[in-house]
Amino acid sequence: MKLHLYNIGNFKIDGGAMFGVIPKVLWSRVYSADENNLIQLTLRSLIVETNGHVILVDTGWGEKQDEKFFRHVHKSGGEGLIQGLINRGYNPEDVTDVFFTHLHADHCGGGVKRKEEGIGYDLTFPKATYHVSRKQWEWAVRNNLREADSFLEENILPVEQSGHLNLIDEEGEIFPGFSLLICYGHTPGLMIPVIRYKDKTIVYTGDLIPTSAHIPLIWNMSYDIESLKTIEEKEKLLKKALEQNYILVFQHDQNVECCNLEMTPKGIRPKEKFSFSAIF
Ligand SMILES: [Zn+2]
């Protein structure tokens, strides 16, 4: 198995929304905000090469929406979705499997691109099967007022029309060493990849624990559809991760790629913070 992690790019989001009920005096000590109260997040994607498969987990925003849409996103830096793959020796045609943790626009937008000529859309990874949980798919295509800005038709429907969509019903092992947990608090059917690499277990925590600052149980995003469920799901994962010395990988943390955990008087907290490459 070969593993890679790369930052597609950074974007900005309201710090208050990202930390829910936690007052700014507290969260701003651990995650800095700019003069507009925006904080910078990364879009780290995971590549897993195993058993003849090249798996890509999440694809960033993509580029299909207009300037007005992206004005609020404040994109900067990063390697870019395709360039990041190329930098690690892969072309888009090499990707056999794309996993969307969920269908919010910053996670799946890059999977579909505008056709080079004319109207319509193509898959960015033409040979890949695109995997989404059935719960998330059904939830997203039905859409709802609360998540309407995040579930964008042009990111989602072309995947179904391409015939490359695979819906996942249950959590568990998908490929040797590559398993999924399915969560419901952030949005129903959020898939969390768990990778078994030699004697290590690596969890790509996605939007369940978007940054290392979200490890305390009540430090949650106000985007979560069901906060109490998020707390329950985090507690269960963090306990197991502590017991079995899992490595957590953060998709959105501008400062921290990975950490392991320790128990403190305040609860489970990061022990050592390190880069993804330090795992190997
Ligand atoms: Zn999300």
Side-chain angles (χ1 to χ4, degrees):
M1 182 185 277
K2 280 189 201 159
L3 297 172
H4 310 269
L5 185 75
Y6 72 101
N7 182 15
I8 294 172
N10 308 310
F11 69 104
K12 287 187 174 184
I13 196 163
D14 185 83
M18 202 61 193
F19 288 101
V21 298
I22 304 305
K24 188 180 178 187
V25 285
L26 296 182
W27 66 252
S28 62
R29 281 183 212 156
V30 290
Y31 212 104
S32 59
D34 71 10
E35 64 282 8
N36 293 317
N37 211 38
L38 300 175
I39 62 171
Q40 184 161 285
L41 300 180
T42 53
L43 288 166
R44 292 197 189 93
S45 274
L46 182 67
I47 304 167
V48 183
E49 187 179 344
T50 183
N51 265 46
H53 289 263
V54 176
I55 301 165
L56 177 66
V57 180
D58 280 355
T59 59
W61 291 99
E63 293 167 1
K64 295 187 296 302
Q65 291 76 31
D66 61 12
E67 198 192 314
K68 191 179 157 214
F69 177 91
F70 284 118
R71 209 178 299 145
H72 301 287
V73 172
H74 305 274
K75 281 184 178 182
S76 70
E79 294 184 49
L81 174 62
I82 303 303
Q83 193 58 46
L85 279 170
I86 291 170
N87 293 346
R88 285 156 188 82
Y90 304 100
N91 287 309
E93 293 74 24
D94 299 331
V95 176
T96 60
D97 299 89
V98 172
F99 281 81
F100 292 140
T101 57
H102 60 307
L103 296 170
H104 287 165
D106 56 323
H107 294 259
C108 72
V112 171
K113 60 180 185 179
R114 287 189 185 284
K115 276 191 194 296
E116 274 162 34
E117 291 159 31
I119 304 162
Y121 302 103
D122 283 327
L123 296 184
T124 309
F125 306 100
K127 296 189 176 155
T129 302
Y130 282 49
H131 306 266
V132 186
S133 80
R134 186 180 300 277
K135 271 271 149 50
Q136 173 67 184
W137 182 268
E138 287 172 355
W139 179 259
V141 295
R142 205 168 65 214
N143 214 326
N144 63 78
L145 211 52
R146 177 68 191 283
E147 291 170 280
D149 291 346
S150 290
F151 290 140
L152 308 180
E153 236 177 60
E154 66 271 28
N155 288 344
I156 298 173
L157 299 185
V159 178
E160 185 178 40
Q161 285 152 9
S162 73
H164 286 227
L165 176 65
N166 178 50
L167 297 179
I168 292 181
D169 286 301
E170 283 174 40
E171 48 182 34
E173 192 165 67
I174 306 292
F175 302 116
F178 182 90
S179 306
L180 297 168
L181 294 175
I182 301 185
C183 295
Y184 299 86
H186 177 61
T187 186
L190 170 73
M191 301 199 298
I192 305 291
V194 179
I195 319 297
R196 188 76 191 154
Y197 179 84
K198 295 182 180 167
D199 60 342
K200 297 186 167 80
T201 302
I202 300 164
V203 186
Y204 180 86
T205 54
D207 273 0
L208 178 64
I209 311 178
T211 78
S212 60
H214 290 82
I215 286 177
L217 291 180
I218 63 162
W219 289 50
N220 296 317
M221 296 188 272
S222 54
Y223 301 105
D224 292 353
I225 292 301
E226 291 195 60
S227 311
L228 291 177
K229 231 174 234 177
T230 292
I231 291 174
E232 225 173 83
E233 290 166 347
K234 270 170 61 173
E235 190 170 27
K236 193 172 160 205
L237 176 63
L238 288 169
K239 268 190 184 161
K240 198 165 179 198
L242 174 69
E243 277 165 24
Q244 312 208 358
N245 200 28
Y246 288 179
I247 295 164
L248 306 187
V249 176
F250 304 105
Q251 188 167 15
H252 286 314
D253 193 320
Q254 68 167 346
N255 305 309
V256 182
E257 285 188 349
C258 305
C259 80
N260 52 15
L261 299 168
E262 66 181 352
M263 183 54 93
T264 74
K266 290 180 172 175
I268 297 172
R269 293 289 182 274
K271 184 180 175 190
E272 298 151 309
K273 297 173 177 177
F274 46 91
S275 70
F276 191 75
S277 58
I279 297 173
F280 310 103

